[in-house]
Amino acid sequence: MKRILIPFLSIVTFAWLGALIATPAPAGATTAWMLRQQALYLTGLWSISLMSLIMVLATRPTWLEAPLGGMDQVYRLHKQAGILAVAFAAAHWLIEMSDDILKAVFGREGRIFNDRNGGFLAMMQDVGEELGEWAIYALLAMLAITLWRRFPYHIWRYAHHAMPVLYLMLVVHAVFLAPATWWAAPVGWMSAALMLAGSTAGMMSLAGRIGRKRRVSGSIESVRDCGGGVTEVRCLLAPQWQGHRAGQFAFVSFDDIEGAHPFTIACADRGDRRIEFQIKALGDYTRQLGTGLRPGQTVSVEGPYGRFDYRRASPRAQQIWVAGGIGITPFLAWLESLLAAPAKAPQAALYYCTRCSDSDPFVPRLQAMCARLPSIQLHVVSADRDAPLTADQLHQHHRATRRTELWFCGPRPFADALREGMATLGMGDVRFHQEAFEMR
Ligand SMILES: Cc1cc2nc3c(=O)[nH]c(=O)nc-3n(C[C@H](O)[C@H](O)[C@H](O)COP(=O)(O)OP(=O)(O)OC[C@H]3O[C@@H](n4cnc5c(N)ncnc54)[C@H](O)[C@@H]3O)c2cc1C
């Protein structure tokens, strides 16, 4: 995500630099007070620019899926930009609070005063200051509960709905407290465009319009307990459903109060608007899903999203597919789609890592499908019997003489260990594609 955030922040910094060079320093200002003033502006500009980006990313822009590599990656960028934005907002607030320290160290001489001639503008500047201060406290609290993994997700999600309101408060703060000279310079035009885009996105979010065009209703056809804490849910969707590519996911809502959860569509597109989900009991809601769902119940499905698709890879590259636990779902969809034309299936090694292969509900299905797909070698790695899959083993079995495309879906620490291990072993030209099953 650095490849997006570094250029983005560089452009913002250049715009600020342009304004700094073009604007003469206030008469009598000393270096210390000048530095404080510009640091205040720059941290504020970084923060509001990143927040505008975050708001746009929160609208689930499908046009960004191709450049970023899927909606899960859009959310990753959203999260990383969010952490940075709050860090800059906190720095901005600390610099604002540094007044008394600077007075004690450098004296009052050379201070820079804001132009406040009274009237509407001065009143709005006071309002902007108040709003900014409260919004920063709320943002810091939001960041703390985001990073505190044990904080319940469903409460976090409701709290997160307040973000557009906080953003709009910060827009008022930025509009009335940015230097007036900025609005006649590129930095002001850039900020105005970003804040306009961010405010539009915020309004869309508050009006509940995000993803509305991709939302289709349907009904549950069957619910089956597959064992191992996995529930299979089959749904029939309304005619508006446009179909999906194997490996994509959707936001699925079985209950209006609970809201939507992302689940991979664990089957190929059969062209009959029937889709299936394999849902593992991983948390509060998914744990009671198996007993709570009934055939005939309505469902709302928003999607499809995602770019987890082996066909994006170079045809000459060797393919390694690795699934950990419920991360097998996109591969189930891939295998089923390949069964339509087994001769056209790519050469690939599929590693399925599970706790216990004897009781795993997916193993018989994988074995049956791979028996009909001779180019796919299935390796089941059962934790109760086998050594865990490591980069070292992949290196031994797939020593790269050519490019390797590694498709991974599973727990993040497992992905990190494989990625780092492969880099350390110097496993040649490896492209690591990861479907992130986490959005927070
Ligand atoms: C792209 C993608 C595809 C997924 N595919 C599957 C799948 O095929 N099968 C499967 O079993 N699981 C899948 N998951 C994971 C699944 O979404 C979570 O396990 C589920 O939402 C947990 O809900 P909970 O309330 O039971 O758990 P909680 O304990 O409340 O949450 C556990 C974690 O799940 C995530 N989560 C919870 N609710 C949401 C939500 N509404 N939106 C986004 N993330 C949420 C958060 O990271 C949270 O920290 C997928 C996740 C993503 C992002």
Side-chain angles (χ1 to χ4, degrees), residues 25 32 40 47 105 111-112 123 135 166 247 252 260 292 311 362 392 410:
L40 192 67
S47 184
V105 178
R111 278 177 76 192
I112 302 164
M123 185 190 81
L166 296 183
V252 187
R311 288 169 300 183
F362 299 118
D392 205 25

Side-chain angles (χ1 to χ4, degrees), residues 185-260:
V187 66
W189 309 332
M190 180 201 69
S191 306
L194 283 171
M195 287 192 281
L196 189 67
S199 303
T200 310
M203 296 294 198
M204 272 176 73
S205 166
L206 291 173
R209 294 181 58 127
I210 292 177
R212 200 148 75 178
K213 288 195 183 136
R214 291 189 151 233
R215 218 171 290 155
V216 171
S217 62
S219 61
I220 297 179
E221 284 199 314
S222 68
V223 182
R224 189 166 69 91
D225 179 357
C226 303
V230 176
T231 304
E232 178 189 272
V233 185
R234 292 181 181 225
C235 307
L236 173 63
L237 301 182
Q240 294 91 317
W241 178 251
Q242 302 287 319
H244 71 280
R245 287 193 311 275
Q248 288 193 293
F249 71 94
F251 289 96
V252 187
S253 179
F254 297 113
D255 162 359
D256 287 345
I257 296 172
E258 173 63 28

Side-chain angles (χ1 to χ4, degrees), residues 5 18 26 92 116 138 149 173 183 193 195 248:
L5 291 177
H92 181 76
R116 295 214 177 168
R149 310 290 305 165
H173 174 88
W183 303 115
M195 287 192 281
Q248 288 193 293

Side-chain angles (χ1 to χ4, degrees), residues 310-311 315 317 319 321 338 342-349 373-377:
Y310 68 90
R311 288 169 300 183
Q319 297 262 345
W321 302 349
L338 289 172
K344 290 193 183 151
Q347 291 283 340
L373 294 165
S375 64
I376 313 286
Q377 301 156 31

Side-chain angles (χ1 to χ4, degrees), residues 260-279:
H261 285 253
F263 296 115
T264 305
I265 304 170
C267 61
D269 187 358
R270 300 160 187 156
D272 59 358
R273 294 181 277 113
R274 286 191 162 79
I275 58 174
E276 99 186 27
F277 301 102
Q278 301 287 343
I279 303 174

